[in-house]
Amino acid sequence: MRKLFHAIRAIPHLFAKLIVIWCVTFASGASLWSLRILSHTGHNPASLLGIILAFFGGELLLLSLKTTLSNRKEEM
């Protein structure tokens, strides 16, 4: 268990990578869901999709700023 913990801890920017995967996956799912709404009801879900994608876009923007502006020195 200790080896696994050290192996996971050695991955650089693991949290950022997981958040990017989460945001892209959820935004893709929201896009598919909005297309399903459009095909079944005929109503345009553009405003709902815009709010969802803006939220995840903002999350990715904050994450990129945090990663870019961090003062942590990387060990190489």
Side-chain angles (χ1 to χ4, degrees):
M1 190 66 158
R2 188 167 284 206
K3 288 182 184 180
L4 178 65
F5 179 72
H6 288 299
I8 290 174
R9 201 153 156 90
I11 300 172
H13 303 290
L14 178 64
F15 178 74
K17 291 175 185 176
L18 291 175
I19 293 296
V20 167
I21 291 170
W22 168 256
C23 287
V24 169
T25 304
F26 199 91
S28 298
S31 298
L32 290 173
W33 180 56
S34 68
L35 287 173
R36 185 174 186 272
I37 290 173
L38 181 63
S39 70
H40 286 307
T41 63
H43 296 296
N44 188 4
S47 58
L48 176 66
L49 185 61
I51 290 170
I52 292 171
L53 294 180
F55 174 75
F56 285 108
E59 185 73 28
L60 291 174
L61 178 67
L62 288 173
L63 182 67
S64 66
L65 287 174
K66 177 186 173 286
T67 304
T68 305
L69 299 175
S70 69
N71 291 330
R72 192 174 91 177
K73 305 258 179 181
E74 292 291 327
E75 295 179 14
M76 295 200 187

